[in-house]
Amino acid sequence: MTRLRLASLAVLLLTIGTLAVPEISIAVGELTGSNPADGATLDAIPQQVELTFDGSIDPETVQIVVIGPNGGRADTGVSETTADGVRAISVQPGFSDGRYLVYWLVDEPGTRASAFGDLTFTVEGSTPCQLASNATPRPPAVSCLAD
């Protein structure tokens, strides 16, 4: 009977010890805002994209990439911290209307990305003539139908 009591006591102590240990959690930073906003429709291509992060992310460790409607990289390749918690990247001129993808990741040397995310924005009306569909290539228009 003593062995059974000792075993029961050991199980009870292990259970209490497990419940008494605080839960360990890893803080994952969050994107708290962006300019342009996620899902925004703009009438001109922005000069830069700004991402604002909560205090758990060091903006110096954030890399930003902007992909244009043609699938090419639309940013300059250099992200910079512009304000407290704000990381920005310039957008190259000369891209057309369409949907832009912005993705970001926290890139600390020697580690895997600890946080990442994406957002999109659309540009409409920044170029005078747009093809109805980019699926059917056509010669450049001499004048817009709306003229």
Side-chain angles (χ1 to χ4, degrees):
M1 218 36 169
T2 2
R3 283 188 171 178
L4 184 58
R5 283 186 183 173
L6 284 174
S8 296
L9 182 59
V11 169
L12 179 64
L13 289 175
L14 284 173
T15 303
I16 291 172
T18 303
L19 294 175
V21 175
E23 184 177 322
I24 298 172
S25 64
I26 298 171
V28 175
E30 289 188 28
L31 179 69
T32 58
S34 66
N35 184 20
D38 187 19
T41 299
L42 311 172
D43 59 3
I45 299 167
Q47 291 184 344
Q48 71 177 7
V49 172
E50 294 179 329
L51 304 179
T52 304
F53 297 93
D54 67 10
S56 66
I57 290 182
D58 176 6
E60 291 293 325
T61 63
V62 175
Q63 297 300 315
I64 304 170
V65 175
V66 181
I67 303 296
N70 66 353
R73 191 154 178 186
D75 63 75
T76 58
V78 180
S79 302
E80 63 181 351
T81 300
T82 59
D84 189 30
V86 179
R87 191 78 169 163
I89 194 162
S90 295
V91 177
Q92 298 180 49
F95 278 81
S96 65
D97 288 2
R99 185 172 175 258
Y100 287 74
L101 168 66
V102 178
Y103 66 90
W104 60 271
L105 61 91
V106 176
D107 186 23
E108 296 180 39
T111 65
R112 293 183 179 179
S114 58
F116 54 89
D118 62 61
L119 58 100
T120 62
F121 64 89
T122 302
V123 176
E124 293 179 354
S126 71
T127 55
C129 297
Q130 290 293 306
L131 300 176
S133 168
N134 60 4
T136 307
R138 299 183 204 166
V142 175
S143 64
C144 295
L145 295 176
D147 291 345

